[in-house]
Amino acid sequence: GSGGKRQIWTRLLGGGTSLLITKDDNDHYSPRWSPDSSNILYFTPAANSGDHGALNEISALGGPPRRLVSALGPGDISHDGKRIAFLRFRDGSIELAVAARDLTNTRSVIKLGAGNYWNVRWSPDDRQIAMFRTIGGAAFATELIVVDVDTATSRRVIDDVVLQGLTWVPDGSRLIVSSAEGSTMSYPPTFNLWSVPLNGGTRSQVTFGEASYRDPDMNALGNLVMSRLRSQSDVWKFPITGEPSDNAKRGVRITH
């Protein structure tokens, strides 16, 4: 956060001062590095909910951003650095589209069914694209879909659990997903990382514990980076005989 908006910052893994690279009066979401790490792709939402936002690109050192394409949500840069995958609404339906990074051409890959789609990710060989889908108000079930870019076909890999982030392993044989599978709490669940083979084999748990591990990303060497979320709840005691505002002010925390 900066100036009341979500801005993008960069910092060396070794530490040091964080660098603010976006400064315009918009919210900025889901930064994605270009393959050569010189630029960052990000999404800015539209002023009105439901309208197309925009995918933009900016130097990793800051500077003026470049607007690329209109999109319904965050996208991803292919590993060869030449294409951008994104979602858009066209001819009455949502579709997955691919645009040349230099904006010379854009093409539709596949029409998608009704639902909310997010977490678009190219496979390491740039031949497949994975994403999540939820339908209507089904907040407790997420589908993991993989689309073949050349044949314009899709298949479901997971459809029975809540998911929060995905990444491909370097050889493209598996996906690492943040999953609520095995959580004893339905809401809010605990998320751990799971390894999911694309050939239909058994998925296996990668992280364990009471903290949640979310939004994984993996580099070409197989190193994982992720967010870790710790949740804490306490019991409070409130009187119920007064005015609501007075009852709130007189709350007493019971557990710590």
Side-chain angles (χ1 to χ4, degrees), residues 1 4 13-14 17 40 61 80 82 93 99 101 108 117-118 123-125 160 172 174 178 199 205 232 235 246 253 255:
L13 287 176
T17 303
I40 292 176
L61 298 176
D80 63 10
K82 297 179 180 179
S93 63
R101 195 168 161 200
S108 172
Y117 296 84
W118 77 101
S123 64
D125 61 5
D160 58 351
R174 293 174 290 126
S178 174
N199 62 5
Q205 193 168 347
Q232 177 179 309
V235 177
D246 293 331
R253 186 177 177 182
T255 65

Side-chain angles (χ1 to χ4, degrees), residues 21-22 58-59 61-65:
I21 65 170
T22 58
I58 192 171
S59 167
L61 298 176

Side-chain angles (χ1 to χ4, degrees), residues 95-188:
E95 68 177 19
L96 174 67
V98 170
R101 195 168 161 200
D102 62 7
L103 307 182
T104 54
N105 64 75
T106 302
R107 73 177 182 91
S108 172
V109 175
I110 189 172
K111 295 285 186 182
L112 300 168
N116 297 315
Y117 296 84
W118 77 101
N119 244 133
V120 175
R121 293 291 183 269
W122 286 95
S123 64
D125 61 5
D126 293 330
R127 299 180 64 181
Q128 300 181 91
I129 296 172
M131 71 185 80
F132 291 149
R133 176 197 188 204
T134 55
I135 304 173
F140 298 103
T142 312
E143 294 179 352
L144 170 58
I145 298 172
V146 175
V147 175
D148 187 293
V149 176
D150 295 327
T151 63
T153 57
S154 67
R155 60 191 176 104
R156 262 191 326 232
V157 179
I158 298 177
D159 62 0
D160 58 351
V161 70
V162 185
L163 304 171
Q164 285 285 351
L166 67 90
T167 187
W168 294 81
V169 300
D171 66 4
S173 65
R174 293 174 290 126
L175 288 154
I176 302 295
V177 301
S178 174
S179 170
E181 183 170 351
S183 175
T184 57
M185 291 288 291
S186 59
Y187 184 83

